Amino acid sequence: MKFNKVCVLGLGYIGLPTACEFATHGVQVLGVDINPAVISTLKNGGLHIHEPGLRALVQTAVKTKNLVVAEKPEPADAFIIAVPTPFLETKHGDFKGKDFKLADMAAVEAATTSILPVIRRGNLVVLESTSPPRTSLELVAPILERSGLKAGVDFHLVYSPERVLPGQILKELVENARVIGGVTQASAKAGKALYSIFVKGDIFMTDATTAEMVKLMENTYRDVNIAIANEFTRLADRFGVDIWEAINLANRHPRVKILNPGPGVGGHCISVDPWFLVQGAPDLARLIHQSRQVNDEQPHFVLELVRKSLGKLKGKTIAALGLSYKPNVDDLRESPAIEVVRLLQRTGARVKVFEPFKPDAVLDGVSLFPDLKSTLKDVDAILLLVAHDQLCSLTPKRIAALTDCRVLIDTVNGWKGSTWTKAGFNLFKLGSNS
Ligand code: SAJ
């Protein structure tokens, strides 16, 4: 198959870099986003998301004149759907009285439907969005077949999950192995031909449902492993053990690799995707469901730690450092740090927030401060919620120059105890204060 023109639907963290890769490899690309603000930002040479190296890649793609952006798709040889699949609001009591979440497929449905007027015989349609098993066969194919064309016969349809790590998207997009699941073998081959244009990693072909399941298994595996680390932290707290030392020692075993505990699991992937398996088979996905709940409860343990460190919280002022869902990114989606801030506010504490990657973020009821100096002024405690490099590298000297506060609470093992205690700070750490 020849791909002269590719239409990428959804210009977020996945769609935009993917569109740029095709454009810089000589393919004409139409990048589509239904958000007019995204389109106008890109048309004016701006960028609506932060990802290392992305600005330069977009500029290079624009220079080639191969990348054009618009609000609606046009006829093309291939269509790539890279829109978000968040979950719907928590439903209480849907499964044995426990919280239960369902995939919100509205964006996938809308993007697929928007291709209908322009799809032609011989096209390739790729779904990249993380989706519940059987989405390609039971949601995407039926929508596209309203065109009168048949999936796997008149047009190719594949599911190919993105697997890139925010913070390293550009490198991983090109170098990671890629799984291509076709509704037929011919579809998988067409998908492989498309991604071979820029992917340097191995490309594996399979069927569409296996590819959907593979993606969910990867993120669920990580979620379950973080849940055990978080549960170990609670046990360490109960038994008077420093979890960081214990994990370090356990990980010296050749077949043990315990992940890092922290304030919880966020982002639009790992905190969401396991639900897609739970919703499909709640009777079977018990460990997965439990792990989700363990990770979702973690902000409450941070609240307890703050209580232990400060006593009664009503009327206290706390500087919260970091708000994104993980270190060195600006993405606030599903961030456990936000949940911690909200829990603290509910106790009557005042929370001053500094997020160096998004200092001007606007969040309902949350006061963001533009810099460290204004954040740390007149506070009772400094709470480290995200291990951003620039926050972990703060020194006692620098903090002492900005504030009189000497109470530090570290939820991410970002600050080394002895460095701070020697300088007269009182450091409380998640998992090491029995
Ligand atoms: N986290 C911990 N402890 C750890 C590691 C992570 O608490 O030891 C937390 C992070 O702070 C964050 C959350 O988990 O809140 C998720 O972060 P992450 O770095 O594990 O993953 P994501 O969500 O940024 O990206 C994941 C990746 N999947 C896997 O590593 C299996 C990535 O490859 C996927 O492409 C991405 O999900 C996605 O888009 O699905």
Side-chain angles (χ1 to χ4, degrees):
M1 238 187 122
K2 190 102 184 69
F3 299 101
N4 295 317
K5 183 166 177 185
V6 173
C7 179
V8 179
L9 294 103
L11 296 177
Y13 288 92
I14 306 301
L16 183 57
T18 304
C20 292
E21 282 298 341
F22 281 116
T24 54
H25 283 78
V27 180
Q28 239 187 299
V29 180
L30 179 73
V32 176
D33 204 292
I34 55 160
N35 184 346
V38 168
I39 296 302
S40 70
T41 304
L42 288 168
K43 276 189 174 161
N44 293 325
L47 195 56
H48 56 294
I49 45 180
H50 168 86
E51 173 65 27
L54 185 57
R55 189 171 291 278
L57 181 64
V58 173
Q59 281 164 356
T60 313
V62 169
K63 253 190 223 149
T64 64
K65 296 203 171 26
N66 283 336
L67 178 65
V68 175
V69 292
E71 284 175 44
K72 276 196 182 138
E74 286 172 9
D77 301 307
F79 297 88
I80 297 177
I81 301 170
V83 296
T85 45
F87 44 49
L88 294 167
E89 285 303 299
T90 305
K91 288 194 166 185
H92 291 281
D94 278 11
F95 176 59
K96 293 186 181 167
K98 291 176 180 165
D99 282 358
F100 194 82
K101 292 176 183 171
L102 297 171
D104 180 354
M105 301 306 289
V108 169
E109 272 186 63
T112 310
T113 307
S114 75
I115 301 173
L116 261 180
V118 290
I119 190 169
R120 292 178 307 201
R121 192 176 295 276
N123 279 168
L124 164 66
V125 179
V126 182
L127 176 64
E128 283 206 21
S129 314
T130 307
S131 300
R134 304 191 66 79
T135 295
S136 305
L137 295 179
E138 292 174 3
L139 181 75
V140 176
I143 293 176
L144 294 175
E145 287 178 350
R146 282 194 234 143
S147 64
L149 302 173
K150 192 142 180 46
V153 177
D154 301 313
F155 66 92
H156 294 300
L157 176 60
V158 310
Y159 180 77
S160 180
E162 58 82 12
R163 308 164 110 181
V164 292
L165 193 72
Q168 318 185 27
I169 290 179
L170 302 199
K171 181 173 175 284
E172 294 204 358
L173 196 59
V174 174
E175 291 177 10
N176 283 4
R178 185 117 207 164
V179 177
I180 311 267
V183 296
T184 59
Q185 227 180 12
S187 284
K189 277 189 187 157
K192 183 171 179 176
L194 176 68
Y195 285 98
S196 300
I197 292 174
F198 72 84
V199 170
K200 291 194 185 128
D202 293 330
I203 299 183
F204 298 98
M205 291 188 289
T206 181
D207 64 84
T209 308
T210 303
E212 290 162 352
M213 177 97 182
V214 165
K215 168 69 192 184
L216 295 175
M217 283 164 51
E218 291 164 3
N219 281 357
T220 300
Y221 169 85
R222 194 153 168 87
D223 196 42
V224 171
N225 278 285
I226 299 170
I228 190 90
N230 284 332
E231 194 158 288
F232 283 151
T233 303
R234 299 171 197 179
L235 294 170
D237 196 46
R238 174 79 54 89
F239 301 133
V241 165
D242 180 326
I243 192 63
W244 303 102
E245 184 191 0
I247 289 179
N248 199 15
L249 293 173
N251 282 350
R252 305 305 287 262
H253 184 290
R255 283 173 296 284
V256 173
K257 178 78 191 79
I258 300 168
L259 293 176
N260 291 321
V265 169
H268 53 298
C269 310
I270 299 210
S271 69
V272 177
D273 303 353
W275 287 111
F276 297 1
L277 290 174
V278 176
Q279 86 173 61
D283 53 326
L284 301 176
R286 283 156 42 212
L287 174 65
I288 298 170
H289 195 176
Q290 281 270 316
S291 301
R292 259 314 42 251
Q293 286 170 333
V294 166
N295 287 335
D296 275 353
E297 284 160 10
Q298 200 64 3
H300 293 268
F301 285 82
V302 173
L303 177 67
E304 282 320 302
L305 175 66
V306 180
R307 272 212 181 95
K308 269 191 211 166
S309 324
L310 278 183
K312 203 161 154 268
L313 296 179
K314 194 163 188 233
K316 298 264 166 58
T317 304
I318 297 159
L321 304 188
L323 202 60
S324 62
Y325 84 94
K326 71 170 192 175
N328 305 321
V329 300
D330 72 337
D331 193 338
L332 305 183
R333 286 176 292 178
E334 311 300 330
S335 173
I338 296 178
E339 179 68 12
V340 171
V341 169
R342 299 217 187 274
L343 289 174
L344 286 168
Q345 286 175 329
R346 256 177 251 153
T347 67
R350 176 174 179 235
V351 188
K352 300 172 75 181
V353 178
F354 175 55
E355 172 43 70
F357 285 85
K358 230 178 199 167
D360 48 6
V362 179
L363 246 103
D364 204 20
V366 176
S367 319
L368 274 114
F369 285 72
D371 50 35
L372 260 184
K373 193 174 176 202
S374 55
T375 314
L376 298 185
K377 192 167 181 279
D378 299 329
V379 296
D380 297 295
I382 302 168
L383 173 64
L384 181 62
L385 288 174
V386 183
H388 290 313
D389 290 345
Q390 59 180 289
L391 297 177
C392 294
S393 60
L394 285 169
T395 58
K397 201 170 156 199
R398 172 124 166 79
I399 296 266
L402 296 174
T403 178
D404 294 334
C405 175
R406 294 292 177 267
V407 179
L408 305 179
I409 305 165
D410 174 3
T411 65
V412 291
N413 197 25
W415 291 329
K416 198 161 170 266
S418 54
T419 313
W420 294 88
T421 44
K422 263 192 236 152
F425 283 84
N426 206 352
L427 176 65
F428 297 86
K429 264 189 163 184
L430 186 75
S432 57
N433 296 281
S434 46

